[in-house]
Amino acid sequence: MSTRRWLLLLLAAALAARVLFCVLFPQGLPDGGVPNLDMYHHLAGTLLQDGTLRDLEGRLTAMREPGYPLVLAGLYAVSGPRYRAVLALHCLLGVLTVWLVWLLGLRLFGPRCAWLAALMAAFHPQLLYYTALPRRETFQAFLLAWSVWLLLDALDFKDLWPLQRPGAPKGRRGWRTAGAPRWLLAGAIWALNPLTNSAFLPAGLAAAAAAVLVGRSRSLDLRRGAGLFLAAYVALFALWPLRNASVFHRFIPGINGGGNHIYIGFIVPDDAAGTPGEQAYLRADATAQAAVKLSEEDKDALFYRAALDWIRAHPAGFAKRLGGSFLKLWRLYPYPRDYGTSYRLIQWASLLSDGWILPLALIGLLLGCARRPACWVPASVLGAVTFTYMVFWAVIRYRVPLMPLVFPFAACALERVGSALRLWTQEDA
């Protein structure tokens, strides 16, 4: 059977797994409507109604980035606000993500790793779970995988500059623009990542820097290409802070909630976050209580000031929080919580997937970055997003969009283990 047929078979299996999960574990409303998780459904409705983002009270808001609400608004314009339409979109995006993981594995490590990585992506429990939820994780995972592939594609394009333009005076170096569209497209698609989740904003800058370093490893000067990438990246993303400046009269590069994320992470222990016990810490904190009566933008400013004051007063505590957030983001299984289903089942599903994928990925990350410079691009993205979450507070759910970049590294390590076992078996024989 040809590679194309095997790939289509795998993608069909990935689609079947997602459809089956959504049928068995639906998360929609009894009437077929879309739950308003994280306010995305509501924001999509306000976009359709008057082209703006408004909160539940009708006030202009920047509590959520516009990317995913725009996707839902476009979907609703065609299908209406129906939960099944969201599921169909997520299933499609999930299958495309598996395909992109296969492409990333092929480009970084070769065919064997590509298949292993794609198999992980096809049946990963968390990717299946978030397919059924109207949250941004499924869209963000697809978007990030596509963005990294586009940048790697621009890096591997053979018609690079500087090149001597035919007819140019001797000694003057021209450069062709055949590769320029690839860099511009990569930058434009990359901008959709922070427009969907502003925690990904530094990752685009890190990826551009990594691209330049990859070029140097190949004796190529890719600064012009990276410049085109950054120009498209910044130009498109700038539309969001410009909108916020016109609405709130202050610079808001991400959301009106970043300060809250930082400060709440300082005053609420990890084992209480997301539980009813969290409210007890908030009620006992003077800053959190003072913020209740403030407007969205004033509340965010108050939390940022309080967070900076806390950091200055507790530098060692801040360093400890950074380490704790790192461990929390990359835990092998979630904290005990009321998840609406058996915690033991969730724990075992995590251990049987991430429990071996994440340790292998760490090994593959070290091996890949040491031997294959192209790995520096996805590695820089993983590092930048991880550090951002270390500062702004993290939960395991936040790593779901990063998993398409994790799978190829895990596949690399798994392939190495397999090769070592085959060699050992042959020597014994």
Side-chain angles (χ1 to χ4, degrees), residues 109 360-370 375 378-380 382 409-410 412-413:
F109 300 113
L360 282 175
L362 177 59
I363 297 172
L365 185 69
L366 298 174
L367 292 173
C369 288
C375 291
S380 70
L382 290 171
F409 288 116
C412 169

Side-chain angles (χ1 to χ4, degrees), residues 101 105 109-121 352-368 372 406-423:
V101 168
F109 300 113
R112 188 171 295 170
C113 288
W115 288 112
L116 290 172
L119 281 168
M120 295 177 200
L352 292 174
S353 53
D354 289 347
W356 57 271
I357 289 175
L358 295 182
L360 282 175
L362 177 59
I363 297 172
L365 185 69
L366 298 174
L367 292 173
R372 298 175 183 268
V406 171
F407 296 136
F409 288 116
C412 169
L414 190 61
E415 195 273 337
R416 289 297 183 90
V417 170
S419 297
L421 287 176
R422 287 194 300 272
L423 182 61

Side-chain angles (χ1 to χ4, degrees), residues 124 126 330-333 347-360 399 403:
H124 188 257
Q126 288 192 29
W330 295 105
R331 277 175 61 93
L332 299 184
Y333 58 91
Q347 187 179 40
W348 276 107
S350 298
L351 289 172
L352 292 174
S353 53
D354 289 347
W356 57 271
I357 289 175
L358 295 182
L360 282 175
R399 78 169 181 236
M403 293 307 293

Side-chain angles (χ1 to χ4, degrees), residues 190-191 193-195 197-207 230 233-234 237-238 241 251 253-254 384-385 388:
W190 258 100
N193 285 285
L195 286 172
N197 183 348
S198 49
F200 287 74
L201 180 58
L205 307 178
L230 289 174
Y233 180 68
V234 173
F237 176 76
F251 179 63
V385 176
T388 302

Side-chain angles (χ1 to χ4, degrees), residues 201-282:
L201 180 58
L205 307 178
V212 173
L213 293 177
V214 173
R216 288 185 178 180
S217 73
R218 301 172 179 174
S219 300
L220 295 170
D221 185 354
L222 299 184
R223 287 177 295 179
R224 284 179 173 172
L228 290 173
F229 171 89
L230 289 174
Y233 180 68
V234 173
L236 182 56
F237 176 76
L239 298 175
W240 175 240
L242 287 173
R243 175 264 185 188
N244 291 336
S246 67
V247 171
F248 300 104
H249 307 293
R250 57 187 289 253
F251 179 63
I252 304 172
I255 59 173
N256 269 334
N260 173 71
H261 281 295
I262 298 177
Y263 185 72
I264 298 303
F266 292 159
I267 65 173
V268 179
D270 288 341
D271 57 356
T275 71
E278 178 179 324
Q279 296 304 314
Y281 289 94
L282 297 180

Side-chain angles (χ1 to χ4, degrees), residues 255-335:
I255 59 173
N256 269 334
N260 173 71
H261 281 295
I262 298 177
Y263 185 72
I264 298 303
F266 292 159
I267 65 173
V268 179
D270 288 341
D271 57 356
T275 71
E278 178 179 324
Q279 296 304 314
Y281 289 94
L282 297 180
R283 286 192 297 268
D285 184 79
T287 300
Q289 290 305 301
V292 172
K293 298 180 180 179
L294 297 179
S295 65
E296 178 182 301
E297 59 271 24
D298 290 338
K299 182 186 300 184
D300 193 44
L302 173 64
F303 278 127
Y304 268 119
R305 289 194 300 269
L308 291 174
D309 290 341
W310 194 96
I311 293 171
R312 284 192 289 263
H314 307 87
F318 179 57
K320 183 178 179 180
R321 291 299 304 174
L322 291 178
S325 293
F326 174 85
L327 295 175
K328 185 176 181 181
L329 180 65
W330 295 105
R331 277 175 61 93
L332 299 184
Y333 58 91
Y335 286 102

